[in-house]
Amino acid sequence: MKLSVLEPGSKGGCSRHERETVVTSTVQKQCIMGMNAGFFDVITGACLGNVISDGRFVQAEKEGIQNVNFGLKKDGNMIFGYLSHDEVVKPTVPYRQLVSGVIWLLRNGKVYINESKMIEMDDADDAGLMNDFINEVSARVAVGHDKDGRLILAQVDGKSNVIGVSLWEFAYFLQRQGIINAINLDGGGSATTVANTTVTGYPSDYCFPGSIFRCARSVTTILCV
């Protein structure tokens, strides 16, 4: 089974600052399963972080910014961790897939949130915002692997500051399931998992103001199986 990082809608979606629902983006490759992936600018729609899709370089994070990454190399190896700008644009072994998250939840079987927080904060002024992001209950999404090297896609439903899990709770839950490495992807209202074009979770965004119904949010990059 093959996994791809896909841009929103179609190739070039990131450069066009497009946003699409996960269901729409899964049509590109007739994905059996799809899950939202990278973070994005909610004002401009720009994809954030590193993105490589099916061996095609899409974008690299600005130099000096550190966010944790998940990727697949062309030799078949999975990578979880931090990459310099040069490691993304001039890798020793080319990447087949690459996407950035925020906070390395589990590293080699151990919860790595505090260490990851210190790496990913731009400066001390970010500490409060980062702590709020880590501690608030919300819908959460992660990609990881278990001791047998099996890829794991995980989502917990919720609504920011109402119901769901903090990143601490998410990390310890994944650890109890035997996950070895895992990074946090875009959660909250973006959290969407799709199986055969059907949304399997419960979105937290209302379809429109005053609606009693909830709809999946338009997002940017997705993981496609």
Side-chain angles (χ1 to χ4, degrees):
M1 195 169 287
K2 180 182 176 184
L3 179 126
S4 294
V5 173
L6 299 182
E7 294 184 79
S10 61
K11 290 180 182 179
C14 282
S15 63
R16 296 188 295 269
H17 291 191
E18 291 180 358
R19 289 169 57 185
E20 294 286 356
T21 64
V22 176
V23 170
T24 299
S25 290
T26 59
V27 174
Q28 296 178 66
K29 296 195 75 172
Q30 288 145 359
C31 311
I32 298 169
M33 178 180 178
M35 189 174 76
N36 67 287
F39 289 77
F40 59 91
D41 187 311
V42 296
I43 304 300
T44 67
C47 301
L48 300 178
N50 301 311
V51 181
I52 294 174
S53 174
D54 290 338
R56 180 175 52 85
F57 177 84
V58 176
Q59 66 179 49
E61 184 61 272
K62 295 177 182 177
E63 291 191 65
I65 294 178
Q66 278 288 1
N67 286 119
V68 69
N69 298 273
F70 160 72
L72 295 174
K73 293 222 167 186
K74 287 194 174 179
D75 60 8
N77 288 321
M78 282 187 281
I79 68 105
F80 292 85
Y82 297 102
L83 301 169
S84 69
H85 188 267
D86 282 349
E87 286 176 309
V88 175
V89 299
K90 303 174 188 175
T92 305
V93 178
Y95 293 97
R96 184 73 185 156
Q97 318 292 342
L98 188 66
V99 68
S100 297
V102 174
I103 297 296
W104 195 345
L105 298 171
L106 294 173
R107 182 180 184 183
N108 298 328
K110 296 183 179 180
V111 175
Y112 197 64
I113 292 174
N114 277 331
E115 296 86 345
S116 183
K117 177 179 71 174
M118 299 308 297
I119 294 168
E120 298 192 31
M121 286 190 306
D122 287 338
D123 52 50
D125 293 336
D126 287 341
L129 291 174
M130 183 65 85
N131 284 330
D132 288 345
F133 173 74
I134 290 168
N135 293 323
E136 72 174 0
V137 296
S138 187
R140 301 292 187 178
V141 172
V143 58
H145 73 86
D146 66 9
K147 63 181 177 60
D148 297 316
R150 293 177 296 189
L151 184 72
I152 304 295
L153 305 181
Q155 178 188 332
V156 173
D157 283 347
K159 184 172 178 59
S160 296
N161 294 310
V162 177
I163 192 170
V165 293
S166 70
L167 287 186
W168 290 105
E169 292 169 318
F170 197 26
Y172 283 114
F173 169 77
L174 294 172
Q175 187 184 52
R176 290 195 299 272
Q177 310 315 307
I179 307 306
I180 305 302
N181 283 291
I183 73 165
N184 177 64
L185 298 174
D186 190 13
S190 297
T192 312
T193 301
V194 170
N196 295 317
T197 71
T198 299
V199 176
T200 60
Y202 189 66
S204 63
D205 284 3
Y206 289 105
C207 297
F208 52 85
S211 172
I212 63 171
F213 300 106
R214 298 177 189 260
C215 291
R217 178 182 294 180
S218 293
V219 297
T220 54
T221 54
I222 71 165
L223 297 179
C224 163
V225 178

